[in-house]
Amino acid sequence: MIQLVGSAVAVSLLVAIAAWARIPRPTPPLDAEGARALLAVEFPDDRVDALWIAADGAGLVARSGERALVAWRKGDSYVARDLAWSAALAARPDKGFLRLKTADGAPRLALKDGAWPPREFA
């Protein structure tokens, strides 16, 4: 009986740890410094010409020559992808959000004033 109870407690503890490990940690909103640091890690060889951060701080679009560098919050981290600059400029806002189609996702970035592209990219 002691072995059965001990096994049940051990399994319950392992299940609790596994459930706790999947809880996303809060990710702070991006500011200019944090955005540039994120881009330096994700795209170390790219020079950032212009930077735009989403209104809620949960994403960014940066111009690097003829490429758009895009990062957005996913769970407790950020996902970074790139796409053609022309494709980023061609995206149309919808109800205050911008949806950029990347190879494996379509982040939804909150616009500050509903206009795309922002003045920084003009």
Side-chain angles (χ1 to χ4, degrees):
M1 188 57 114
I2 293 173
Q3 187 176 11
L4 178 64
V5 171
S7 295
V9 169
V11 168
S12 298
L13 183 63
L14 289 174
V15 169
I17 290 172
W20 173 79
R22 289 189 186 156
I23 298 172
R25 310 302 183 269
T27 306
L30 289 170
D31 57 2
E33 183 180 323
R36 288 191 184 279
L38 175 66
L39 289 171
V41 169
E42 295 294 334
F43 303 100
D45 297 332
D46 293 307
R47 184 177 60 94
V48 174
D49 301 327
L51 176 67
W52 174 83
I53 300 173
D56 57 1
L60 66 88
V61 178
R63 182 175 185 173
S64 178
E66 291 303 313
R67 292 179 32 213
L69 311 176
V70 183
W72 67 95
R73 187 180 308 154
K74 181 91 170 171
D76 61 352
S77 187
Y78 286 92
V79 176
R81 300 290 183 263
D82 66 333
L83 64 144
W85 180 246
S86 58
L89 286 180
R92 294 289 160 234
D94 181 36
K95 299 177 186 168
F97 290 94
L98 178 69
R99 187 172 298 274
L100 296 171
K101 296 197 187 316
T102 62
D104 59 350
R108 195 174 144 200
L109 307 174
L111 294 171
K112 292 178 183 173
D113 56 6
W116 181 258
R119 288 187 321 241
E120 303 94 277
F121 292 156

